[in-house]
Amino acid sequence: MISGIQFFSKGILMAKKKVRTPVDFSELGGYRYLHFGSEWIQGGMQINRPYRLALEYQQSMMALALFEPHPKEILQLGLGAAGFAKFTWKYLPEAKTTVVEISEDVYMACRMWFKLPEEDDHLKIVFEDCKKYLFEGNFDPVDWLLVDIYDAEAWGPVYDDVPFYRLCRKALREGGVASFNLFGGEDFEQSYKAISEAFYGQVLIMPEVQEGNRIVIASKGEKKDYSIEQLKERAAEIQARLKVPAKKWIKMLQKENSLSNEFKF
């Protein structure tokens, strides 16, 4: 594990930090992992494929693409190791991604170690507390909302209650979808119930993955009709275009949510 970085990079002048975050990284088997001063993994990257989603929970979060395959506006809460920011920048060039991250230290670590590209017309970084950003609401509603907010302690999402998840719902346009990274096991149920209440029951769950995470997909607006055959066709297209294992999401969703061949979501 490498730590103790100093932040000097390509003409970027760092202002006084709002939040100082101890950041370091480790490497194992061709992967690089981000840590916030502890053994907990906050994100990762396959070194020879830096724009692919390296971790299984990250891939599972992309299941929201089954219900909105062509987003134009994406909001990401929590930068982590920049996996989602790089992924949407690379594979969804028609979309604009805004990332809300409270720590400039995390941002600089991603620029130095995790190949986060510079900001451009498709990628914007906002240094702010994500709950404050949602509450102020100085942005247009989005098609995708990706929520992955853990601190160094990694006991659970930094914000994990009904009022916060209602702010998340408000951030979506009608027909928009959100993906939430939660812990599996006994901690999952409380978080799931809060999201379900905030989204009026319009939620689907993914099975727990190897890293111990579990994903909840939520939608806003009038429920739409879906068929499993329709989703299988969409998954094949998504898998080819976005380089994610979308085909296996169908069986996962069917099993975890007892979905029939036709359902509403």
Side-chain angles (χ1 to χ4, degrees):
M1 186 179 293
I2 300 173
S3 61
I5 67 170
Q6 296 183 10
F7 295 110
F8 302 95
S9 176
K10 287 179 93 172
I12 297 176
L13 179 63
M14 299 301 294
K16 184 178 180 180
K17 307 289 190 300
K18 296 178 183 177
V19 173
R20 294 310 305 263
T21 304
V23 287
D24 44 57
F25 73 88
S26 61
E27 291 184 0
L28 180 67
Y31 289 81
R32 181 174 295 164
Y33 300 102
L34 178 69
H35 306 267
F36 293 166
S38 72
E39 74 277 11
W40 292 104
I41 291 174
Q42 301 288 345
M45 174 184 75
Q46 188 174 357
I47 294 172
N48 65 351
R49 291 181 175 179
Y51 298 100
R52 299 275 186 96
L53 294 177
L55 303 180
E56 188 178 2
Y57 90 85
Q58 296 173 323
Q59 296 170 2
S60 291
M61 286 185 73
M62 284 297 104
L64 85 174
L66 292 170
F67 306 101
E68 175 46 88
H70 298 286
K72 298 299 182 184
E73 295 286 341
I74 300 170
L75 178 59
Q76 179 188 337
L77 305 183
L79 179 60
F84 295 120
K86 293 183 300 181
F87 176 82
T88 56
W89 181 84
K90 175 73 172 179
Y91 293 104
L92 294 166
E94 71 282 2
K96 178 181 178 181
T97 298
T98 299
V99 182
V100 182
E101 169 57 52
I102 198 169
S103 172
E104 293 176 358
D105 293 332
V106 172
Y107 167 77
M108 287 305 299
C110 290
R111 291 281 290 128
M112 294 170 65
W113 297 334
F114 291 90
K115 297 189 181 297
L116 176 67
E118 294 182 358
E119 293 180 75
D120 58 18
D121 292 340
H122 304 288
L123 178 62
K124 177 183 178 182
I125 310 294
V126 177
F127 295 108
E128 186 57 271
D129 175 84
C130 65
K131 187 174 183 179
K132 180 181 178 183
Y133 182 83
L134 293 178
F135 180 78
E136 292 176 346
N138 296 321
F139 58 91
D140 293 329
V142 299
D143 305 300
W144 280 12
L145 175 65
L146 302 169
V147 183
D148 189 6
I149 47 173
Y150 288 82
D151 60 15
E153 299 300 324
W155 291 111
V158 173
Y159 297 115
D160 189 30
D161 55 25
V162 174
F164 173 71
Y165 292 126
R166 283 178 175 156
L167 289 174
C168 290
R169 185 179 186 277
K170 185 178 179 182
L172 292 170
R173 66 162 178 80
E174 292 293 308
V177 285
S179 192
F180 299 91
N181 176 33
L182 306 174
F183 278 153
E186 62 184 18
D187 297 321
F188 173 78
E189 194 64 28
Q190 181 177 342
S191 301
Y192 168 73
K193 287 180 178 178
I195 296 171
S196 183
E197 180 177 340
F199 280 82
Y200 303 104
Q202 288 184 227
V203 293
L204 295 170
I205 57 177
M206 297 286 282
E208 187 171 329
V209 299
Q210 184 177 4
E211 297 97 354
N213 306 66
R214 201 168 185 191
I215 307 306
V216 173
I217 308 296
S219 66
K220 177 181 178 179
E222 185 176 350
K223 289 186 177 182
K224 299 178 182 179
D225 293 314
Y226 293 97
S227 70
I228 295 301
E229 288 305 312
Q230 173 194 5
L231 291 187
K232 285 181 178 179
E233 292 178 6
R234 187 171 287 180
E237 187 275 330
I238 290 170
Q239 185 159 314
R241 176 166 55 94
L242 301 184
K243 313 302 181 187
V244 289
K247 293 179 182 179
K248 72 177 186 180
W249 298 338
I250 309 301
K251 287 186 177 180
M252 290 179 175
L253 286 168
Q254 277 189 288
K255 181 178 179 180
E256 294 297 316
N257 301 277
S258 301
L259 297 178
S260 60
N261 289 329
E262 295 185 353
F263 65 96
K264 290 181 179 290
F265 176 61

